[in-house]
Amino acid sequence: MNRPRTQKPKRTMGVRAHAALALAPVLNQRGALTSDVPEGVAPRDQGLYRALCFGVCRALPQLEAIAEKLLKSAFKQRDQDVHALLLIGLYQLYHMRIPTHAAVGETAGGARELNKEWATRVINGCLRRADRERDTLLATVDQSPEAAHWHPQWLLNRLEKAWPDQWQDITAANNVPGPMTLRVNRRHQSREAWLERLEDAGLAARTCAFSDDALTMETPCDVEQLPGFQDGDVSVQDEAAQLAAGLLLEGVESRSAPLRLLDACSAPGGKSAHLLECAPESALTALDSDATRLERVRETLARLKLSATLVATDATEGAWWDGVPFDGILLDAPCSGTGVIRRHPDIKALRREEDIFELTALQARLLDAQWQRLAPGGRLLYATCSVLPEENAEQITAFLARTPDAHAQPITADWGQIAGEGRQLMPTPDGHDGFFYALLEKAAG
């Protein structure tokens, strides 16, 4: 997606104005939120910058409902930065421990820094009223499920239909930041040995229950504080994502070495790296349709001193393939991301219901294309970070129905729940993301 043109931040601009400029493309549905902090945000304000940007996206349905009550008319499209400022002010008033005078004054002053002096009084007036009428406004907007659960209505409808007993737990987990989980590089040391190094550095973590390589930090920190990070001793990766390598390799490790592995949608490269850490003798090919994102895979592998064949290509196409089949294929398919909303809360603003139909069609094409590249007796692991059945269990059921030489291998595990021929993980507060896995084996020739 092309990044929209936005006003270039000034070095003298405050953190709230910077956050407004980052949020405006999201509100316009023209760009995603990143964790990158723009030049000009002082180091002491970088945590606040991220808290404002991600917090506003997280509570967006509620904040938008309140803003609608406060405004006589909506801001024009070109003034979405001002609208973002209003949401930033509301988020501070209702969800942060920032003194009211600072939340109102500093936020209204942000309009002046955006060269929109006219909006200063509008923002100031709205926020002062929001503070005075807090209880009434919250009680009014929270009558709407969309505002009460901080999710768009179309997604609430789908979640409730798919998971009638769990949808409220899913939305609650989506509304809190995910923990910082790490993957210890087993080629360098054991998880226990690295945990001791971490404790020596004065940092606390706990081992995760389902991945043998995973640790969750008690408190998130800069990766540069992690012992041996630049030497590749450890990487940041959610526990659910770490399950992929074990699931795929368990079924193919008995085949003749070196294994030929394919990661069909590899960026940013965490699962490719984990596969190579677990099976270092393998020959891995990593594809991604986005050359810029594929560069992140290259950087990830370089830090970990791992090598793979990287190809920037559409995985539904076959021109890149030499015709030699793969023993194992990981297809971490593009999806709605509904299992990782807590880490990417801008999904609430950017994703539309009609996207689901396009995504499921793309997933089907990717499955069919990768199947042609799988060796007889080989295994394909299908994965998404979605909790929607049409992208997961229903997708696999349809694939098996049209693919006579494919059959599902049962995933016996102490995590998640059975979902059709696969296994579904739901996002869990302080635990793993939402993920789906299905393991498919090709009939021997």
Side-chain angles (χ1 to χ4, degrees):
M1 179 180 296
N2 294 327
R3 298 284 295 181
R5 290 185 177 182
T6 56
Q7 184 177 342
K8 186 176 180 180
K10 300 177 180 178
R11 285 189 179 277
T12 56
M13 195 175 281
V15 62
R16 291 166 179 81
H18 276 290
L21 289 177
L23 287 167
V26 178
L27 300 179
N28 276 328
Q29 298 180 311
R30 297 176 60 188
L33 187 65
T34 77
S35 58
D36 297 337
V37 179
E39 183 183 354
V41 176
R44 68 176 182 279
D45 289 334
Q46 291 183 1
L48 176 58
Y49 171 85
R50 291 193 180 94
L52 293 174
C53 290
F54 283 81
V56 165
C57 287
R58 200 164 277 123
L60 190 61
Q62 183 198 58
L63 301 178
E64 290 283 27
I66 295 170
E68 187 177 346
K69 298 291 182 186
L70 295 171
L71 291 169
K72 293 180 180 176
S73 60
F75 291 109
K76 296 177 180 176
Q77 199 73 2
R78 65 172 180 266
D79 295 321
Q80 286 303 296
D81 50 356
V82 176
H83 185 69
L85 265 184
L86 175 58
L87 301 181
I88 288 168
L90 293 172
Y91 183 71
Q92 292 169 86
L93 287 176
Y94 290 174
H95 301 296
M96 296 184 80
R97 295 178 180 177
I98 291 180
T100 300
H101 66 87
V104 175
E106 295 294 327
T107 305
R112 190 177 302 111
E113 295 168 346
L114 294 171
N115 296 322
K116 295 184 177 178
E117 177 84 27
W118 57 269
T120 305
R121 292 182 63 182
V122 178
I123 299 293
N124 187 73
C126 285
L127 293 181
R128 290 195 179 283
R129 182 184 160 200
D131 184 49
R132 288 195 307 272
E133 301 177 19
R134 169 194 297 257
D135 293 342
T136 301
L137 284 168
L138 285 174
T140 300
V141 302
D142 282 352
Q143 292 179 20
S144 155
E146 193 171 12
H149 294 285
W150 297 7
H151 280 61
Q153 190 61 52
W154 71 265
L155 182 53
L156 287 177
N157 293 342
R158 283 179 175 264
L159 291 175
E160 187 170 2
K161 180 181 178 183
W163 308 107
D165 298 326
Q166 294 171 275
W167 70 273
Q168 294 190 62
D169 292 335
I170 296 171
T171 57
N174 287 347
N175 289 340
V176 295
M180 183 180 187
T181 300
L182 308 174
R183 184 187 77 244
V184 177
N185 188 344
R186 64 173 65 177
R187 295 173 67 215
H188 291 193
Q189 73 277 284
S190 68
R191 179 171 66 172
E192 289 67 29
W194 191 81
L195 184 57
E196 290 181 9
R197 292 174 62 192
L198 192 67
E199 291 171 349
D200 290 343
L203 298 170
R206 62 181 186 280
T207 57
C208 295
F210 307 125
S211 170
D212 293 340
D213 300 325
L215 293 168
T216 291
M217 298 294 293
E218 294 295 338
T219 304
C221 68
D222 191 292
V223 294
E224 298 299 333
Q225 292 180 255
L226 301 173
F229 178 79
Q230 288 302 338
D231 296 327
D233 292 348
V234 68
S235 300
V236 178
Q237 188 180 38
D238 183 77
E239 185 185 18
Q242 293 187 40
L243 299 172
L247 285 172
L248 181 60
L249 292 173
E250 184 178 353
V252 299
E253 279 182 324
S254 61
R255 297 173 70 87
S256 299
L259 293 171
R260 276 176 57 85
L261 302 176
L262 173 66
D263 187 350
C265 301
S266 64
K271 297 184 188 68
S272 287
H274 198 197
L275 283 168
L276 290 170
E277 288 172 0
C278 296
E281 303 303 320
S282 302
L284 186 136
T285 299
L287 312 182
D288 205 90
S289 60
D290 188 325
T292 302
R293 282 170 52 81
L294 195 66
E295 188 58 30
R296 292 187 60 190
V297 181
R298 191 184 312 280
E299 294 170 358
T300 296
L301 296 181
R303 181 179 64 82
L304 295 167
K305 299 178 179 59
L306 299 169
S307 62
T309 301
L310 306 186
V311 184
T313 187
D314 182 340
T316 62
E317 305 292 337
W320 60 273
W321 185 38
D322 61 6
V324 180
F326 292 91
D327 300 300
I329 295 177
L330 171 60
L331 174 54
D332 186 5
C335 69
S336 62
T338 44
V340 292
I341 286 177
R342 58 184 187 167
R343 300 192 190 277
H344 304 282
D346 53 343
I347 288 173
K348 295 178 182 180
L350 299 175
R351 188 68 71 208
R352 290 290 176 267
E353 186 167 25
E354 50 267 33
D355 296 342
I356 305 304
F357 301 106
E358 295 178 6
L359 286 165
T360 53
L362 174 59
Q363 291 154 6
R365 292 199 303 275
L366 285 165
L367 267 167
D368 292 341
Q370 304 330 303
W371 197 251
Q372 305 306 313
R373 295 157 198 158
L374 186 66
R379 289 188 173 185
L380 184 150
L381 181 66
Y382 176 82
T384 75
C385 54
S386 168
V387 296
L388 299 180
E390 46 273 65
E391 299 183 272
N392 299 333
E394 294 174 15
Q395 182 72 261
I396 295 304
T397 297
F399 174 77
L400 292 170
R402 66 176 181 269
T403 313
D405 61 346
H407 65 271
Q409 285 290 320
I411 297 176
T412 304
D414 53 358
W415 46 262
Q417 60 195 72
I418 295 172
E421 299 291 351
R423 205 160 183 93
Q424 180 73 58
L425 286 153
M426 299 301 184
T428 306
D430 296 323
H432 50 72
D433 288 341
F435 239 86
F436 173 84
Y437 287 109
L439 189 58
L440 307 169
E441 186 168 287
K442 196 170 195 174

